[in-house]
Every structure is written in C-alpha cells, then in structure tokens.
C-alpha cells in the first residue's frame, strides 16, 4: 500500500523515483513507524499491536477537521 501511495505522489508531482529511492524511502518510513509504535507501547505499557491501534485512534481523534462539501 505504501508503494502505491509513493506512485500516486510521483504522478501528482510529475516526477518519478528509481526503485532504489522507493526502497530507501519505504525502509525509512517503516523504520520510523515501528520505532514510534514501540516507544508508544513502552510508554503506555502495552504490546505493539495495542500500541499501533492506540496510535491510529489517536491520529484520527485528534486530527484537524477537514472541509467536506464546502
């Protein structure tokens, strides 16, 4: 799914990344996400699966409102 997002971004911006660049970016983004999840789990004393759920809910609950239909 992440690679599909990268492809969409490339299309929107009119440039294309090499396979190596996509793999590097993917590794960086996933590494950061895993680290954030692990630290969040340690902070709240829950396992990584629960920490990932908590982070996801937190991001949705506290995201800025979007304009819909206006």
């Amino acid at each position: 799914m992440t690679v599909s997002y990268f492809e969409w971004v490339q299309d929107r911006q009119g440039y294309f990344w090499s396979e190596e660049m996509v793999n590097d970016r993917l590794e960086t983004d996933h590494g950061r996400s895993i680290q954030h999840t692990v630290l969040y789990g340690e902070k709240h004393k829950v396992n990584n699966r629960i920490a990932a759920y908590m982070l996801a809910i937190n991001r949705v609950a506290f995201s800025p409102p979007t304009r819909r239909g206006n």
Side-chain angles (χ1 to χ4, degrees):
M1 180 171 286
T2 305
V3 173
S4 294
Y5 169 75
F6 289 161
E7 289 173 347
W8 176 78
V9 169
Q10 291 175 62
D11 288 342
R12 299 272 301 167
Q13 295 179 354
Y15 66 91
F16 299 94
W17 299 340
S18 67
E19 181 179 350
E20 181 181 350
M21 185 179 270
V22 169
N23 289 334
D24 288 345
R25 182 72 188 264
L26 187 61
E27 187 176 322
T28 299
D29 287 357
H30 281 200
R32 185 178 23 229
S33 295
I34 291 168
Q35 182 180 21
H36 193 196
T37 301
V38 169
L39 291 174
Y40 199 86
E42 289 172 354
K43 177 181 176 183
H44 295 283
K45 297 182 182 0
V46 296
N47 64 41
N48 290 338
R49 183 177 62 132
I50 299 299
Y53 286 140
M54 291 170 68
L55 276 168
I57 291 168
N58 223 10
R59 288 177 181 156
V60 171
F62 298 106
S63 65
T66 59
R67 292 180 58 181
R68 294 188 179 151
N70 293 337

